[in-house]
Amino acid sequence: IGYAAEAANVQKNSIPINNRGSITIDGKQALSLGYSAKIDNVPFTYQNNIYVGKSFTMQAIIFGVGGASSKIENFNRSFIKDIFIAD
């Protein structure tokens, strides 16, 4: 969120959180966080998926041009479905 705020030239608390919750990636608990920002007046939406394991941390992120949408959320569900975590 900090990098999105910096790129958008706004404070971190100005970045809207679209969704946040626990998800499962390859049978393991992870966090998913969706947020939006405008960079050079172009709206972007990010979906950041974070897994913290015993041996490593994984970040899998997607983004799309435009505001939060079910299309981005559906793509994210499809994206994380195919991730294998070797931890």
Side-chain angles (χ1 to χ4, degrees), residues 31-73:
L31 170 70
S32 189
L33 177 69
Y35 51 96
S36 299
K38 281 188 177 181
I39 301 170
D40 290 333
N41 213 29
V42 176
F44 287 90
T45 296
Y46 302 86
Q47 192 68 43
N48 196 352
N49 305 285
I50 301 168
Y51 165 76
V52 178
K54 297 175 187 171
S55 305
F56 65 90
T57 298
M58 179 201 74
Q59 179 180 23
I61 188 169
I62 65 165
F63 69 92
V65 176
S69 70
S70 60
K71 186 175 181 179
I72 290 173
E73 290 180 22

